Amino acid sequence: MNRFKLFYGGSIVVLAALAAALGAALVLTAIGASPAATFVTIFTGPFTDVFGLTEILVRAIPLILVALGIAIAFRSGIINIGAEGQMLIGILAATATALALPTWPKAALLPVVILAGAAGGALWAGIAGTLRARLGVNEILSTVMLNYIAAQLYTFFLRGPMIDPGELETGSGTPQSMRLPEAAFLDRLVPGTRLHMGLVLALVLCVCVWFFLWRTTWGFRLRAAGAEAKAARYAGIHVPGSLVAAMGLSGAFAGIAGAVEVSGVHHRAIENITSGYGFAGIVVALFGALHPAGIVPAAFFFGLLLVGSDMTQRSAGVPANMILVLMGVLILCIVSAKMYLNNPYAQERAARFLARFRKPGAGEPS
Amino acid sequence: MAKAQPIHELQLTGITKRFPGILACNNVSMRVARGEVLALVGENGAGKSTLMNILAGLYQPDAGTIAINGEEVRFHTPNDAYARGIGMVHQNFMLVPNMTVTENVALGLKQHHRFMNLDLKATRARIVEVSEHHELPVNPDAYVWQLSVGEQQRVELIKTLCFGAQLLILDEPTSALTPQETDDLIDRLKRMTAELSIIFISHKLQEVKELSHRVAILRHGAVVFNGRTEDHTPAELAALMTGREVHLPRNEGLLVEGPAILEARDLKVRGDRGHFALDGLNLEVHAGEILGLAGVSGNGQRELAEALTGLRPVESGTVRFLHKDMTNKSPAAMIAAGLGYIPEDRHHEGIVPRFTVKENLVLKDFPTPRFSWSVVLKLGEIARNAESLKASFDIRCSSTSAAGGSLSGGNIQKVILARELAREPKALISVYPTRGVDMGAQEFIHSQLLARRRAGGGILLISEELEEIMNLSDRIAVIYKGRILKVLTSLEATREKLGLLMAGVAE
């Protein structure tokens, strides 16, 4: 039976991937591009040079961090669609902290900046968490709405209180903050590329999240409350408290993703800095089965998609926004595949179907 | 309505079904004739449900054949089984609560589905016809959520009959019913046998005796007995079922008046619908006694258990535990003080179904020094604890890493019992502890409760089974409309007295 299960699971995954490719090919054909050329560019283009390779990792860093937070929230029975907004607030907090402490040495400033980002994200997510725990406000609605508010706040700060004074002097008025002090920069891992120490931080945090969720009493509480709130309450776990904690932690990871993006890549707060990582991170978390060990490869895969689709714009004439369509198709396929993987009746039907082709006397699947 | 051919005889021959690691059905053969009631009994996990799921087309047998009127049939889906007149009523009702009875039945009546249109009038007419014909009164326009459990059971029956069932499979039809509803259902089923065959799964041998003509007993997937019901006493059947003599233990202890450890004074508590489910209730449980709480369900039992354990807010009055005022303390505080609780909803409250058995066994104690070092869980100790409890409480699961929700009802109950008793509670609240579990498990649970009593624990036993209450209790309190009507010692209590009190007649 185990061999059959493996076979079944494997074929479902392969079928889902094929369905996703087919769906994407249809869309590409519809806009007049060659699907084959596009796929080749996306999946091989980034591997042709060091820059492409490191860019995959650069994109994967915020994806991992956001996805870790999403996994904590989903596992704890609360849904966080607000990573995008939490990232923005994290970026504002991190940037303001770095700019306010320009004389601090690196060893002190960098951790404080990243913690400030975490605090900003946690605070923003905590609003939704508290509304849910106290008043029963649906967290999907509140996190989505808080995204809009965060986006407006972000623009307000970049155009107003936090705008680079230089921009005002020259009169160009680009909405961006001052450059961070060098002490707030994450070191580059490979000279000449944008790959930074954030990768190490993200991987370390993966281990931390795994340990937290599956090896500590805190994680036990959160998972119990998420898996069956009624039983958790019965066992003496304070469920509303655990919801707020889970949401806050989830936001903290989005905030860290924001802080790392500022101090690792852009070195100042600019517009469109999140590039949709807050949403893509949700897909990465689901694709990685809400487990750190799955999230890392999933983030690399989506990093590849993001870099690859940038290249298609140049080489195959496909707009980079196509990646959003591709992601949508992927999500549909993942969700359908999951339904089939978890449905014992579908499995039973497949087993029956296979049994028809089994040679008589070949024995039972075992 | 495409009526299925009448079923004169159903014959199962050599049915075998394997699941990973388990032989669920081992060469099972049995036969049911028209107008006959076959009772299928056996311990939890003996393979009864698997066998019936095969018959209803949900599973395919690995070997063996099903024959109707001598003709071999193969069911690939439940619809195939329905087409041949076999209908199953599952233990957990499969009804949509926010739809009416008519709409629920129409869901499955494919011949009333027209293009872009559902013929609800025809469905309603069919329901009325079936309900009159079989004397199963039901309001076709009522919403399912408005119906009592007994009425929902009738809707399930009518639904199955509307689909044209000639042979009814009933999986533990009485497990969620009150005693009155059970008697009512059995009467109705008896009348229906005039034109139908029934296979019914039950743990309650009293019902088996009352309703069935023949009885088949399954043990470890094989038929160990198949014979006429009237030739055997319930005790003989119980012995055949477990493979040994079953003696439900009795409380033979002397009534020792220990100090009161759990007290409720003038307790007023609101139910889910906002009314006072407990209306000035007074009760005390002493150390070293089992206090039975008899009553028809819905008279405040659930609310009482929840108020005592801190899960439901107390409007007025006090809860005292171990001589301290614990009114409206948190569940965690009550647990820490040494109060155990076996809840009514074992599947979603007593365990976290997606957690493993070993995690469920430390659901309350994981933060204690025994199972965690500061905040880090001691996985080794958690696993050892699970292995030892699995052995001492005879929890049958493939591994303690299996999901708790994958266990059978009786074994889930043992997991809960093991967890609660291993904590050596000063007082234990036990709500319907043996509902739907087999005789062997029942015997085990009863003896464990008695052992806890001997060790000096006070137990509040809430149950609808008079047999259970009278066997185990030192004193028996009767609850009626949120108050204790009377408290009797076990010597004073008789079935008749308790029955009158449960109906609200206090002399």
Side-chain angles (χ1 to χ4, degrees):
Chain A
M1 200 66 192
N2 274 333
R3 222 176 38 192
F4 167 72
K5 265 200 177 140
L6 211 67
F7 172 74
Y8 180 79
S11 2
I12 293 285
V13 170
V14 169
L15 280 176
L18 281 179
L22 191 73
L26 279 177
V27 179
L28 287 169
T29 317
I31 62 165
S34 149
T38 311
F39 286 146
V40 168
T41 311
I42 290 180
F43 291 110
T44 62
F47 291 110
T48 47
D49 58 10
V50 178
F51 182 76
L53 272 173
T54 54
E55 272 305 291
I56 295 176
L57 300 177
V58 170
R59 309 293 176 101
I61 295 166
L63 288 177
I64 292 176
L65 289 167
V66 169
L68 285 176
I70 301 292
I72 294 176
F74 279 38
R75 290 248 174 212
S76 310
I78 189 161
I79 292 170
N80 181 7
I81 312 288
E84 191 77 10
Q86 292 144 19
M87 263 184 94
L88 288 175
I89 301 297
I91 291 167
L92 283 181
T95 310
T97 310
L99 292 176
L101 308 167
T103 53
W104 281 33
K106 185 160 200 157
L109 185 58
L110 195 51
V112 169
V113 165
I114 288 173
L115 283 178
L123 191 81
W124 204 247
I127 299 173
T130 312
L131 284 175
R132 159 76 194 275
R134 297 263 159 170
L135 304 170
V137 176
N138 183 308
E139 75 275 14
I140 300 179
L141 278 179
S142 61
T143 49
V144 167
M145 293 306 168
L146 282 165
N147 280 342
Y148 291 112
I149 301 176
Q152 296 302 324
L153 268 181
Y154 189 76
T155 309
F156 167 73
F157 273 96
L158 285 201
R159 287 174 189 268
M162 282 172 71
I163 193 167
D164 184 353
E167 294 292 330
L168 293 177
E169 268 168 37
T170 59
S172 59
T174 312
Q176 57 181 23
S177 75
M178 263 167 63
R179 201 172 147 83
L180 303 191
E182 296 240 347
F185 288 8
L186 280 161
D187 291 332
R188 292 273 147 98
L189 281 178
V190 181
T193 69
R194 303 201 295 169
L195 184 59
H196 54 84
M197 283 294 288
L199 181 65
V200 179
L201 179 70
L203 294 178
V204 169
L205 284 176
C206 275
V207 179
C208 292
V209 166
W210 167 81
F211 190 82
F212 171 83
L213 279 178
W214 281 280
R215 289 290 185 275
T216 67
T217 54
W218 294 325
F220 192 100
R221 275 196 194 92
L222 293 189
R223 285 187 301 118
E228 184 60 75
K230 203 176 169 194
R233 202 167 104 81
Y234 155 84
I237 293 166
H238 190 250
V239 176
S242 103
L243 288 180
V244 176
M247 200 55 150
L249 263 176
S250 180
F253 275 89
I256 293 175
V260 164
E261 198 61 8
V262 173
S263 62
V265 179
H266 304 287
H267 298 154
R268 66 167 85 215
I270 56 170
E271 286 210 310
N272 298 325
I273 189 170
T274 57
S275 8
Y277 289 135
F279 294 118
I282 300 173
V283 185
V284 169
L286 291 175
F287 205 59
L290 302 177
H291 193 288
I295 284 172
V296 173
F300 289 158
F301 176 67
F302 276 83
L304 170 68
L305 283 185
L306 288 172
V307 178
S309 60
D310 273 353
M311 295 183 160
T312 56
Q313 199 156 7
R314 275 170 273 142
S315 64
V318 177
N321 281 343
M322 264 300 300
I323 189 65
L324 294 176
V325 177
L326 204 65
M327 272 193 195
V329 173
L330 256 176
I331 295 173
L332 280 178
C333 293
I334 295 169
V335 173
S336 338
K338 267 203 169 148
M339 207 203 77
Y340 275 100
L341 284 176
N342 297 336
N343 184 341
Y345 292 116
Q347 226 176 79
E348 172 81 16
R349 267 207 303 278
R352 252 182 254 162
F353 181 73
L354 280 180
R356 282 193 212 161
F357 302 109
R358 199 176 291 280
K359 272 175 255 146
E364 290 302 318
S366 53
Chain B
M1 174 99 216
K3 264 225 156 176
Q5 300 255 319
I7 297 179
H8 296 296
E9 184 200 47
L10 174 87
Q11 174 80 47
L12 301 181
T13 315
I15 299 282
T16 300
K17 177 76 183 174
R18 238 179 275 274
F19 287 119
I22 295 174
L23 189 57
C25 293
N26 182 9
N27 196 14
V28 173
S29 301
M30 57 181 62
R31 155 178 194 285
V32 189
R34 188 176 166 86
E36 196 175 50
V37 180
L38 173 74
L40 191 58
V41 300
E43 300 192 273
N44 299 111
K48 309 178 298 276
S49 294
T50 306
L51 186 65
M52 289 303 106
N53 282 333
I54 287 173
L55 192 49
L58 281 163
Y59 291 143
Q60 290 274 291
D62 294 337
T65 58
I66 305 172
I68 293 177
N69 302 340
E71 172 203 352
E72 189 181 328
V73 288
R74 282 188 161 271
F75 301 145
H76 294 285
T77 66
N79 288 335
D80 296 346
Y82 268 121
R84 295 307 305 255
I86 294 177
M88 179 156 176
V89 176
H90 293 268
Q91 189 176 2
N92 305 318
F93 302 152
M94 312 247 174
L95 296 170
V96 185
N98 53 0
M99 283 187 168
T100 64
V101 171
T102 306
E103 286 166 338
N104 264 288
V105 174
L107 278 178
L109 269 180
K110 291 280 154 51
Q111 63 269 31
H112 291 172
H113 291 221
R114 308 262 183 278
F115 177 69
M116 300 288 279
N117 182 23
L118 190 58
D119 196 349
L120 283 176
K121 276 205 189 106
T123 311
R124 193 177 184 285
R126 176 95 184 115
I127 293 174
V128 171
E129 179 195 330
V130 168
S131 113
E132 278 171 5
H133 184 75
H134 292 287
E135 296 178 50
L136 291 165
V138 70
N139 174 6
D141 303 317
Y143 284 94
V144 166
W145 59 264
Q146 296 171 321
L147 303 179
S148 72
V149 179
E151 287 170 316
Q152 292 187 26
Q153 177 89 24
R154 286 211 288 275
V155 175
E156 279 284 2
L157 276 174
I158 285 176
K159 191 172 85 177
T160 314
L161 292 169
C162 281
F163 297 169
Q166 310 276 326
L167 182 136
L168 280 176
I169 303 171
L170 308 174
D171 190 356
E172 295 192 35
T174 61
S175 65
L177 301 187
T178 64
Q180 287 84 345
E181 286 171 329
T182 303
D183 294 343
D184 181 68
L185 178 72
I186 286 186
D187 277 349
R188 292 180 196 287
L189 289 177
K190 267 187 191 161
R191 285 200 292 271
M192 284 160 62
T193 54
E195 39 194 304
L196 294 167
S197 318
I198 296 176
I199 300 180
F200 94 114
I201 300 179
S202 180
H203 290 308
K204 299 179 182 164
L205 295 176
Q206 214 55 49
E207 292 167 12
V208 171
K209 277 296 278 182
E210 240 179 278
L211 182 60
S212 71
H213 304 114
R214 299 178 65 80
V215 57
I217 298 178
L218 282 184
R219 201 188 320 146
H220 302 305
V223 178
V224 294
F225 172 80
N226 194 337
R228 294 175 61 80
T229 313
E230 57 188 21
D231 299 343
H232 301 273
T233 65
E236 284 168 24
L237 294 176
L240 285 163
M241 197 163 110
T242 52
R244 63 192 162 82
E245 293 280 313
V246 176
H247 295 290
L248 284 182
R250 296 180 62 94
N251 183 347
E252 310 282 5
L254 292 168
L255 181 60
V256 197
E257 190 83 341
I261 47 171
L262 183 63
E263 298 163 75
R265 286 272 159 270
D266 303 318
L267 215 52
K268 280 197 167 200
V269 172
R270 288 190 190 278
D272 290 337
R273 278 170 294 159
H275 65 296
F276 277 113
L278 296 184
D279 196 6
L281 178 137
N282 287 292
L283 192 71
E284 48 186 50
V285 181
H286 298 265
E289 78 161 351
I290 295 181
L291 174 65
L293 187 69
V296 178
S297 79
N299 273 296
Q301 289 95 326
R302 190 158 63 88
E303 288 82 359
L304 174 63
E306 289 179 352
L308 292 177
T309 48
L311 287 163
R312 188 177 281 272
V314 172
E315 200 98 339
S316 71
T318 52
V319 173
R320 291 176 66 81
F321 181 43
L322 299 173
H323 318 296
K324 274 206 282 288
D325 187 357
M326 298 292 270
T327 318
N328 282 328
K329 286 278 194 288
S330 69
M334 299 308 285
I335 292 167
L339 183 64
Y341 177 28
I342 297 173
E344 175 179 4
D345 179 357
R346 69 182 70 128
H347 297 275
H348 297 288
E349 187 161 16
I351 62 163
V352 176
R354 268 186 278 159
F355 271 26
T356 60
V357 170
K358 53 186 170 193
E359 284 177 316
N360 272 305
L361 283 168
V362 294
L363 201 57
K364 284 184 173 176
D365 282 333
F366 68 93
T368 61
R370 188 178 160 205
F371 296 116
S372 56
W373 181 80
S374 181
V375 299
V376 180
L377 296 170
K378 294 181 187 165
L379 294 188
E381 184 58 31
I382 290 173
R384 267 194 296 281
N385 173 62
E387 287 307 323
S388 90
L389 289 179
K390 180 187 174 196
S392 56
F393 282 83
D394 187 27
I395 299 166
R396 307 214 184 130
C397 52
S398 52
S399 129
T400 54
S401 301
S406 69
L407 270 55
S408 69
N411 279 304
I412 289 177
Q413 192 70 333
K414 283 186 192 169
V415 169
I416 299 170
L417 189 77
R419 179 184 65 220
E420 296 305 307
L421 290 181
R423 308 182 67 248
E424 302 191 342
K426 307 274 194 316
L428 175 69
I429 298 168
S430 179
V431 186
Y432 310 128
T434 58
R435 190 187 256 182
V437 307
D438 63 57
M439 296 284 289
Q442 220 174 82
E443 180 188 24
F444 182 79
I445 292 169
H446 284 176
S447 64
Q448 289 292 328
L449 291 178
L450 287 172
R452 186 70 221 138
R453 168 188 175 274
R454 275 195 302 279
I459 295 173
L460 176 61
L461 172 68
I462 300 179
S463 175
E464 290 167 343
E465 304 281 337
L466 283 184
E467 196 79 36
E468 180 172 38
I469 287 202
M470 291 176 65
N471 274 351
L472 297 182
S473 308
D474 296 286
R475 296 186 303 141
I476 299 168
V478 181
I479 188 169
Y480 181 73
K481 290 195 173 165
R483 286 161 185 261
I484 299 299
L485 213 51
K486 198 171 168 94
V487 183
L488 306 169
T489 65
S490 60
L491 295 174
E492 296 169 316
T494 61
R495 271 186 161 273
E496 291 67 34
K497 269 191 197 171
L498 290 176
L500 278 174
L501 286 166
M502 281 166 75
V505 185
E507 262 100 14

